[in-house]
Amino acid sequence: VAGLTKAEAGVKGLAAMFRGVSELPLRSLQILYKLTSTAKNKAAADALDSVKQLMDIREKLVARGGDTRALVQKIYQKKNSILMYL
């Protein structure tokens, strides 16, 4: 991105005129806003995919029948015992 090192007029006192960082007239802040927005959106999409996978696993466990609470505790105990050795 060209022109980021070029001095820009300050926006002191004008912050009340803008609703957020994305509207400020500084190019560097606009780029930073776009990068953080993209990162947040990607993280949210990744989290949603993970939640969907967990829900699929949950549905499979429920479909098996039996005491799902005991099965989940058994899985957690295995996980915790593996983590102790790492």
Side-chain angles (χ1 to χ4, degrees):
V1 177
L4 284 181
T5 57
K6 198 181 337 176
E8 294 184 61
V11 289
K12 246 185 185 175
L14 296 176
M17 294 177 61
F18 303 102
R19 286 185 284 178
V21 175
S22 65
E23 294 180 355
L24 290 173
L26 299 175
R27 182 77 176 132
S28 57
L29 290 177
Q30 291 173 349
I31 292 170
L32 179 63
Y33 177 78
K34 286 180 185 176
L35 289 173
T36 56
S37 295
T38 302
K40 285 180 185 178
N41 291 338
K42 185 177 182 327
D46 290 346
L48 182 61
D49 289 342
S50 296
V51 169
K52 285 180 181 177
Q53 288 176 347
L54 290 172
M55 292 304 291
D56 289 343
I57 292 170
R58 180 186 172 275
E59 288 174 9
K60 287 178 184 177
L61 291 175
V62 169
R64 270 180 160 180
D67 188 8
T68 56
R69 194 174 282 165
L71 181 60
V72 169
Q73 284 183 350
K74 188 174 162 185
I75 292 169
Y76 276 122
Q77 287 173 354
K78 283 183 183 179
K79 180 183 174 189
N80 288 337
S81 65
I82 291 171
L83 290 176
M84 286 178 20
Y85 295 108
L86 295 179

